[in-house]
Amino acid sequence: MFAGGGAVTLAGNPVNHGPQTFNPLIRKLSMSVPSDLPVWQSLKAHHAAIADLHLRDLFAADPDRFARFSRRFGDLLVDFSKQRVTGETLGLLIELARQAQLPTWIGRMFDGEMINHTERRSVLHVALRNRSNRPILVNGEDVMPGVNAVLEHMRKFADQIRRGKWRGQTGKRIRDVVNIGIGGSDLGPKMICEALEPYGDPTLRMHFVSNVDGAHISHVLAECDPESTLFIIASKTFTTQETMTNAHTARAWLVKELGDESAVAKHFVAVSTNAAGVSKFGIDTANMFEFWDWVGGRYSLWSAIGLPIVVYLGMDHFTELLDGAHAMDEHFRTAPLEENLPALLGLLGVWYIDFFGADSHVMLVYDDYLRSLPDYLQQLDMESNGKSIDRDGQAVRVNTGPILWGSLGNNGQHAYYQLLHQGTHLVPADFLAPAQSPNPIGEHHPILLANCLAQAEAMMVGKTEAQARADLEKQGLSGEALEKLLPYKIFPGNRPSTSLFYRRLTPQVLGSLIALYEHKVFVQGVIWNINSFDQWGVELGKQLANAILPELKGDRSASGHDASTLGLIRFCRDED
Ligand code: G6Q
């Protein structure tokens, strides 16, 4: 661990085991099956005992409920008092974390051990924002000098762009920055640039191209002037089909428009771990920003993948983002489980998924700047914990990661909240909102906040039959007409939510918030005994797409597929 000042030790080497045989140290630590832990049965019994309690009554019985079940973290307020828990529930959940050896696993991650055992990698996004600079060793080598060198490279480059010192081939200042990447090389920087727009350079327009659908890059290129456009090709592997296709299209466009192959050097930079691939593409590796295999794609916005963020916001604001994440890292690493926000949020998720049978979790975001947060968190959560084989290679016996979805809450109110209030699914929710708006126009912000607060309250308290009846009577209804309408007007309530409110959406607050969710996902992976850091489930579709592509292009006749796939290929080729 970081504590103690000296160099931390590391790594789950000596290795020499294939992806299917596991590190014996990790095997020893695996508790294998969460439902075999003694406390799991206690939680089941406790669930049966409290499942019918209504949050209305829990609040009525305990005037201190808000104080007991909310926590402050700097400018962040996390209120989980509207969760269907009692003090006993929390005690049992914390015991679950202990029996699953959560504190040990936290230590292993921060110590750089090879906890991503199927890819034989350490998991060190925390090193990218290790503002304390304490050494973190991977294979005996401190990664911090490398981390700091890349940050410095990013700062210098971003300063040149922002000060107009780096110019396009014809001498024009850079005005459009196009990040070409997908998945982890897109969602994080896009979300952060949008979220922190009030801190951004208003003379720069940021674009993010991810989709291989030609419509995406065509639309973006149509908005850009080739003389003043910079492309950042962001790909850890520099082999991703969508990214490389878009990158080659952008390159061809630029060369055609400027009529000069050498313009590539002034208009393309790369973020990658693959220097050979970058060089082959024609980008000088001096303009390549590197990162490392211990940075997972969906955990990479803190690395050189954050280059568009640094260009747009400047290094000072990026540093504040890292500071916020580091503060949450330190909290996660050192706070007792009872106070530990990622642990508490992770355990609450497990409570609903495994004991109430909830299969989804909704993000209700009352902050327009965070409009891409649900997409970002969807990847973080579902790619990390959408797993059904545990760390010991066995099928899991409990439900794992939820279907994570959501959007801007105020818009959702007029779309899908009906299901949240009166549908048959129990969908735990996170409400996010800033107490202060950077755009205090008229009454917009109080109206936004009133809606957020009201929805969380409505989901929790609901409306009883007596209240619904009284409302209808007030409206002048009576007799059969009233009785017929009455059942539709009742809201069961007892729909759980956590409210995450912050004073203002600063880089620091955002850094802490994202790190909170990253660690929440890790906590759940530990409880479920799964590896949250691999993603083998994305491979099969890629392999099949590579097989189908030549068939679609007519380079090879389609064969070896099921009748449905064959029929669809023929339709696309206009052969039927
Ligand atoms: C994230 C995933 C995935 C990845 C993309 C892009 O954890 O690994 O979303 O980020 O597939 O990969 P490249 O950066 O290699 O192009």
Side-chain angles (χ1 to χ4, degrees):
M1 308 245 295
F2 283 156
V8 291
T9 52
L10 137 98
N13 46 3
V15 190
N16 211 13
H17 48 75
Q20 296 309 317
T21 50
F22 302 127
N23 184 332
L25 286 174
I26 290 175
R27 178 182 277 285
K28 210 172 81 196
L29 273 174
S30 285
M31 289 304 293
S32 41
V33 181
S35 50
D36 284 352
L37 297 173
V39 72
W40 198 268
Q41 295 313 318
S42 313
L43 275 161
K44 265 176 119 169
H46 175 67
H47 172 258
I50 72 146
D52 290 336
L53 288 184
H54 201 290
L55 277 164
R56 268 192 313 252
D57 302 321
L58 291 172
F59 271 96
D62 179 5
D64 290 333
R65 188 171 171 86
F66 171 74
R68 282 177 62 213
F69 297 123
S70 62
R71 304 281 184 274
R72 288 291 296 266
F73 184 86
D75 279 347
L76 194 60
L77 165 65
V78 181
D79 170 22
F80 53 97
S81 59
K82 295 194 188 79
Q83 296 288 358
R84 289 167 68 172
V85 294
T86 63
E88 187 183 353
T89 321
L90 275 198
L92 288 168
L93 288 171
I94 286 162
E95 180 55 23
L96 174 64
R98 286 208 182 93
Q99 290 188 12
Q101 303 190 23
L102 176 62
T104 308
W105 279 100
I106 295 173
R108 294 173 76 89
M109 177 168 73
F110 279 84
D111 282 358
E113 291 196 22
M114 198 182 62
I115 61 171
N116 177 357
H117 65 304
T118 59
E119 294 183 314
R120 301 169 67 192
R121 288 175 182 163
S122 306
V123 175
L124 277 178
H125 42 284
V126 293
L128 300 167
R129 59 232 188 179
N130 170 22
R131 308 303 297 158
S132 72
N133 260 319
R134 272 172 289 193
I136 300 180
L137 306 186
V138 171
N139 294 325
E141 200 182 318
D142 182 9
V143 299
M144 291 315 299
V147 167
N148 291 327
V150 173
L151 285 173
E152 183 55 18
H153 189 192
M154 291 161 74
R155 186 188 64 73
K156 278 196 178 133
F157 176 74
D159 278 358
Q160 284 186 307
I161 299 285
R162 291 164 62 83
R163 293 190 184 153
K165 292 202 168 135
W166 176 299
R167 291 180 178 244
Q169 176 80 347
T170 61
K172 277 199 182 175
R173 269 185 91 132
I174 298 299
R175 295 294 181 209
D176 286 282
V177 178
V178 183
N179 188 80
I180 297 182
I182 196 165
S185 301
D186 167 69
L187 291 162
K190 176 173 185 281
M191 179 270 293
I192 300 281
C193 286
E194 282 174 7
L196 298 178
E197 188 198 323
Y199 298 84
D201 179 340
T203 68
L204 290 173
R205 296 194 307 169
M206 306 301 292
H207 310 267
F208 291 84
V209 174
S210 53
N211 196 344
V212 78
D213 186 330
H216 198 176
I217 188 131
S218 304
H219 285 141
V220 170
L221 294 181
E223 291 175 10
C224 295
D225 171 358
E227 292 180 76
S228 55
T229 299
L230 174 79
F231 293 95
I232 300 175
I233 312 301
S235 177
K236 184 171 165 180
T237 54
F238 228 71
T239 57
T240 302
Q241 186 186 47
E242 295 90 335
T243 299
M244 296 323 296
T245 305
N246 279 321
H248 282 288
T249 298
R251 190 185 193 285
W253 173 82
L254 185 95
V255 171
K256 179 167 173 277
E257 295 290 322
L258 297 186
D260 186 355
E261 188 78 24
S262 68
V264 171
K266 280 284 163 202
H267 293 266
F268 280 79
V269 298
V271 179
S272 189
T273 56
N274 177 359
V278 168
S279 192
K280 195 164 161 230
F281 182 86
I283 297 174
D284 183 348
T285 48
N287 297 325
M288 175 183 129
F289 298 81
E290 64 162 333
F291 59 120
W292 307 271
D293 71 356
W294 41 261
V295 184
R298 56 194 173 276
Y299 298 88
S300 64
L301 74 86
W302 323 97
S303 71
I305 288 290
L307 186 64
I309 307 173
V310 183
V311 169
Y312 187 46
L313 303 180
M315 188 45 107
D316 288 352
H317 289 133
F318 188 69
T319 304
E320 287 166 31
L321 186 80
L322 300 180
D323 287 343
H326 179 61
M328 185 57 74
D329 293 343
E330 287 299 279
H331 166 80
F332 182 49
R333 193 173 69 79
T334 59
L337 292 174
E338 293 75 8
E339 300 302 319
N340 196 308
L341 288 173
L344 290 169
L345 293 193
L347 290 165
L348 287 168
V350 171
W351 176 231
Y352 292 108
I353 292 161
D354 291 310
F355 297 93
F356 284 82
D359 50 17
S360 86
H361 186 102
V362 68
M363 300 300 306
L364 305 172
V365 180
Y366 286 77
D367 186 337
D368 211 75
Y369 289 105
L370 286 179
R371 57 194 170 275
S372 290
L373 184 70
D375 283 356
Y376 171 81
L377 293 179
Q378 189 171 61
Q379 180 194 28
L380 175 66
D381 206 316
M382 293 173 74
E383 202 163 64
S384 297
N385 285 343
K387 312 277 165 70
S388 52
I389 300 295
D390 72 12
R391 281 188 170 274
D392 299 311
Q394 304 298 315
V396 295
R397 289 196 233 144
V398 298
N399 280 341
T400 59
I403 299 157
L404 190 132
W405 60 290
S407 66
L408 290 175
N410 190 234
N411 294 352
Q413 286 172 216
H414 299 265
Y416 55 78
Y417 274 41
Q418 166 65 39
L419 181 147
L420 300 180
H421 286 292
Q422 289 187 317
T424 55
H425 298 272
L426 177 76
V427 188
D430 283 5
F431 285 89
L432 269 74
Q436 293 166 10
S437 166
N439 298 300
I441 313 166
E443 293 202 330
H444 283 257
H445 201 61
I447 292 173
L448 179 77
L449 284 180
N451 274 280
C452 177
L453 290 163
Q455 292 294 334
E457 187 175 33
M459 282 183 199
M460 189 271 275
V461 296
K463 190 187 267 188
T464 63
E465 182 177 335
Q467 290 168 326
R469 184 181 293 281
D471 278 0
L472 289 173
E473 282 168 357
K474 247 191 238 159
Q475 291 162 25
L477 259 76
S478 61
E480 200 186 339
L482 183 150
E483 296 304 328
K484 271 196 170 158
L485 202 49
L486 183 60
Y488 303 102
K489 297 284 191 170
I490 296 167
F491 288 66
N494 222 11
R495 313 259 155 153
S497 68
T498 297
S499 293
L500 295 102
F501 280 30
Y502 36 93
R503 191 77 34 224
R504 279 186 310 122
L505 190 63
T506 60
Q508 177 111 19
V509 162
L510 185 58
S512 296
L513 193 64
I514 300 304
L516 169 60
Y517 278 107
E518 285 178 346
H519 294 322
K520 170 200 165 179
V521 164
F522 174 57
V523 167
Q524 295 185 335
V526 169
I527 303 292
W528 291 319
N529 191 34
I530 56 178
N531 177 4
S532 301
F533 302 107
D534 60 12
Q535 56 282 314
W536 301 107
V538 303
E539 296 296 324
L540 178 59
K542 288 187 198 171
Q543 281 167 12
L544 295 183
N546 282 333
I548 289 172
L549 181 60
E551 298 171 349
L552 271 181
K553 293 199 303 189
D555 295 346
R556 194 174 66 210
S557 58
S559 66
H561 302 287
D562 58 274
S564 164
T565 307
L566 274 178
L568 293 165
I569 290 173
R570 289 203 184 105
F571 179 83
C572 292
R573 286 182 46 78
D574 215 4
E575 286 174 353
D576 59 348

